Short mmCIF file of all heavy atoms in Angstrom, two decimals:
data_model
loop_
_atom_site.label_atom_id
_atom_site.label_comp_id
_atom_site.label_asym_id
_atom_site.label_seq_id
_atom_site.Cartn_x
_atom_site.Cartn_y
_atom_site.Cartn_z
N LEU O 13 96.60 119.84 87.66
CA LEU O 13 95.70 119.17 88.57
C LEU O 13 94.29 119.57 88.16
O LEU O 13 93.93 120.73 88.20
CB LEU O 13 95.99 119.61 90.01
CG LEU O 13 95.22 118.91 91.11
CD1 LEU O 13 95.49 117.41 91.09
CD2 LEU O 13 95.62 119.50 92.46
N VAL O 14 93.52 118.58 87.71
CA VAL O 14 92.19 118.83 87.17
C VAL O 14 91.19 117.91 87.85
O VAL O 14 91.45 116.72 88.01
CB VAL O 14 92.16 118.56 85.64
CG1 VAL O 14 90.79 118.86 85.06
CG2 VAL O 14 93.24 119.37 84.93
N ARG O 15 90.03 118.46 88.24
CA ARG O 15 88.97 117.63 88.81
C ARG O 15 88.49 116.63 87.78
O ARG O 15 88.38 116.92 86.60
CB ARG O 15 87.79 118.52 89.22
CG ARG O 15 87.74 118.87 90.65
CD ARG O 15 86.45 119.55 91.08
NE ARG O 15 85.46 119.76 90.06
CZ ARG O 15 84.99 120.96 89.69
NH1 ARG O 15 85.45 122.05 90.26
NH2 ARG O 15 84.07 121.06 88.76
N GLU O 16 88.16 115.42 88.25
CA GLU O 16 87.75 114.33 87.35
C GLU O 16 86.55 114.73 86.49
O GLU O 16 86.51 114.42 85.30
CB GLU O 16 87.41 113.08 88.17
CG GLU O 16 86.98 111.91 87.31
CD GLU O 16 86.70 110.66 88.14
OE1 GLU O 16 87.00 110.64 89.35
OE2 GLU O 16 86.20 109.69 87.55
N ASP O 17 85.57 115.42 87.06
CA ASP O 17 84.37 115.76 86.30
C ASP O 17 84.64 116.79 85.19
O ASP O 17 83.78 117.03 84.34
CB ASP O 17 83.24 116.25 87.22
CG ASP O 17 83.57 117.54 87.94
OD1 ASP O 17 84.75 117.75 88.31
OD2 ASP O 17 82.65 118.34 88.16
N MET O 18 85.83 117.37 85.17
CA MET O 18 86.21 118.32 84.12
C MET O 18 86.93 117.64 82.95
O MET O 18 87.13 118.24 81.91
CB MET O 18 87.13 119.40 84.70
CG MET O 18 86.52 120.19 85.85
SD MET O 18 85.11 121.18 85.36
CE MET O 18 85.91 122.39 84.33
N LEU O 19 87.30 116.38 83.13
CA LEU O 19 88.06 115.66 82.11
C LEU O 19 87.14 115.06 81.05
O LEU O 19 86.03 114.64 81.35
CB LEU O 19 88.86 114.52 82.75
CG LEU O 19 90.01 114.93 83.66
CD1 LEU O 19 90.56 113.71 84.39
CD2 LEU O 19 91.10 115.63 82.88
N PRO O 20 87.65 114.96 79.82
CA PRO O 20 86.89 114.24 78.80
C PRO O 20 86.71 112.77 79.21
O PRO O 20 87.55 112.18 79.88
CB PRO O 20 87.78 114.33 77.55
CG PRO O 20 88.72 115.44 77.82
CD PRO O 20 88.89 115.52 79.30
N GLU O 21 85.61 112.20 78.79
CA GLU O 21 85.26 110.83 79.16
C GLU O 21 86.36 109.82 78.82
O GLU O 21 86.64 108.90 79.58
CB GLU O 21 83.95 110.44 78.46
CG GLU O 21 83.43 109.10 78.87
CD GLU O 21 82.11 108.75 78.18
OE1 GLU O 21 81.78 109.35 77.14
OE2 GLU O 21 81.42 107.86 78.69
N ALA O 22 87.03 110.01 77.70
CA ALA O 22 88.08 109.06 77.29
C ALA O 22 89.23 109.03 78.29
O ALA O 22 89.81 107.96 78.55
CB ALA O 22 88.59 109.41 75.90
N LEU O 23 89.57 110.16 78.88
CA LEU O 23 90.65 110.19 79.87
C LEU O 23 90.23 109.46 81.15
O LEU O 23 91.01 108.70 81.72
CB LEU O 23 91.05 111.63 80.18
CG LEU O 23 91.77 112.37 79.05
CD1 LEU O 23 91.96 113.83 79.41
CD2 LEU O 23 93.11 111.72 78.76
N VAL O 24 89.02 109.71 81.60
CA VAL O 24 88.52 109.04 82.81
C VAL O 24 88.47 107.53 82.60
O VAL O 24 88.90 106.76 83.45
CB VAL O 24 87.13 109.60 83.20
CG1 VAL O 24 86.55 108.82 84.37
CG2 VAL O 24 87.21 111.08 83.52
N LYS O 25 87.98 107.11 81.44
CA LYS O 25 87.89 105.68 81.16
C LYS O 25 89.28 105.04 81.02
O LYS O 25 89.48 103.88 81.36
CB LYS O 25 87.05 105.44 79.91
CG LYS O 25 85.58 105.69 80.17
CD LYS O 25 84.73 105.36 78.96
CE LYS O 25 83.25 105.51 79.30
NZ LYS O 25 82.40 104.99 78.25
N THR O 26 90.25 105.81 80.54
CA THR O 26 91.62 105.30 80.46
C THR O 26 92.15 104.99 81.85
O THR O 26 92.75 103.94 82.08
CB THR O 26 92.53 106.31 79.74
OG1 THR O 26 92.05 106.52 78.41
CG2 THR O 26 93.97 105.81 79.68
N VAL O 27 91.91 105.89 82.80
CA VAL O 27 92.34 105.66 84.18
C VAL O 27 91.62 104.44 84.75
O VAL O 27 92.23 103.61 85.43
CB VAL O 27 92.10 106.91 85.05
CG1 VAL O 27 92.35 106.60 86.53
CG2 VAL O 27 92.99 108.05 84.60
N GLN O 28 90.34 104.31 84.47
CA GLN O 28 89.58 103.16 84.96
C GLN O 28 90.14 101.85 84.39
O GLN O 28 90.31 100.87 85.12
CB GLN O 28 88.10 103.30 84.59
CG GLN O 28 87.39 104.42 85.32
CD GLN O 28 86.00 104.71 84.76
OE1 GLN O 28 85.64 104.24 83.68
NE2 GLN O 28 85.22 105.48 85.51
N ALA O 29 90.47 101.85 83.11
CA ALA O 29 91.03 100.65 82.48
C ALA O 29 92.40 100.31 83.08
O ALA O 29 92.68 99.14 83.36
CB ALA O 29 91.13 100.85 80.97
N LYS O 30 93.23 101.32 83.30
CA LYS O 30 94.54 101.09 83.90
C LYS O 30 94.40 100.53 85.31
O LYS O 30 95.16 99.66 85.73
CB LYS O 30 95.35 102.39 83.92
CG LYS O 30 95.85 102.81 82.55
CD LYS O 30 96.53 104.16 82.56
CE LYS O 30 97.80 104.13 83.35
NZ LYS O 30 98.59 105.37 83.21
N SER O 31 93.40 101.00 86.02
CA SER O 31 93.15 100.53 87.37
C SER O 31 92.73 99.05 87.37
O SER O 31 93.19 98.26 88.20
CB SER O 31 92.07 101.38 88.03
OG SER O 31 91.77 100.92 89.30
N LEU O 32 91.87 98.67 86.43
CA LEU O 32 91.46 97.27 86.30
C LEU O 32 92.67 96.37 86.05
O LEU O 32 92.79 95.29 86.64
CB LEU O 32 90.45 97.10 85.17
CG LEU O 32 89.05 97.69 85.37
CD1 LEU O 32 88.25 97.62 84.07
CD2 LEU O 32 88.33 96.95 86.49
N LEU O 33 93.56 96.83 85.19
CA LEU O 33 94.77 96.07 84.88
C LEU O 33 95.69 95.97 86.09
O LEU O 33 96.22 94.90 86.41
CB LEU O 33 95.50 96.70 83.70
CG LEU O 33 94.84 96.52 82.34
CD1 LEU O 33 95.37 97.54 81.34
CD2 LEU O 33 95.05 95.10 81.83
N ALA O 34 95.88 97.09 86.78
CA ALA O 34 96.79 97.13 87.93
C ALA O 34 96.31 96.23 89.06
O ALA O 34 97.11 95.59 89.75
CB ALA O 34 96.95 98.56 88.42
N ARG O 35 95.00 96.18 89.28
CA ARG O 35 94.44 95.34 90.35
C ARG O 35 94.38 93.88 89.96
O ARG O 35 94.13 93.02 90.80
CB ARG O 35 93.04 95.83 90.72
CG ARG O 35 92.99 97.13 91.48
CD ARG O 35 91.61 97.39 92.08
NE ARG O 35 90.52 97.13 91.16
CZ ARG O 35 89.86 98.05 90.46
NH1 ARG O 35 90.20 99.31 90.56
NH2 ARG O 35 88.87 97.71 89.66
N GLY O 36 94.54 93.58 88.67
CA GLY O 36 94.45 92.20 88.21
C GLY O 36 93.03 91.75 87.97
O GLY O 36 92.77 90.55 87.82
N ASP O 37 92.09 92.70 87.93
CA ASP O 37 90.69 92.35 87.66
C ASP O 37 90.50 91.84 86.24
O ASP O 37 89.56 91.09 85.97
CB ASP O 37 89.77 93.56 87.90
CG ASP O 37 89.73 93.97 89.36
OD1 ASP O 37 90.16 93.17 90.22
OD2 ASP O 37 89.27 95.10 89.63
N VAL O 38 91.36 92.28 85.34
CA VAL O 38 91.37 91.81 83.95
C VAL O 38 92.81 91.46 83.60
O VAL O 38 93.74 91.96 84.22
CB VAL O 38 90.80 92.86 82.97
CG1 VAL O 38 89.33 93.12 83.23
CG2 VAL O 38 91.59 94.14 83.02
N LYS O 39 92.96 90.62 82.60
CA LYS O 39 94.31 90.17 82.25
C LYS O 39 94.89 90.90 81.03
O LYS O 39 96.10 90.96 80.86
CB LYS O 39 94.31 88.67 81.99
CG LYS O 39 93.90 87.87 83.21
CD LYS O 39 94.64 86.57 83.29
CE LYS O 39 94.23 85.72 84.44
NZ LYS O 39 94.40 86.27 85.74
#
Side-chain angles (χ1 to χ4, degrees):
L13 185 60
V14 181
R15 261 190 1 240
E16 180 178 351
D17 64 325
M18 301 294 292
L19 292 171
E21 185 179 19
L23 290 173
V24 175
K25 288 184 175 190
T26 299
V27 171
Q28 292 169 347
K30 288 174 66 171
S31 178
L32 290 172
L33 288 161
R35 288 193 315 260
D37 293 345
V38 295
K39 299 215 182 300

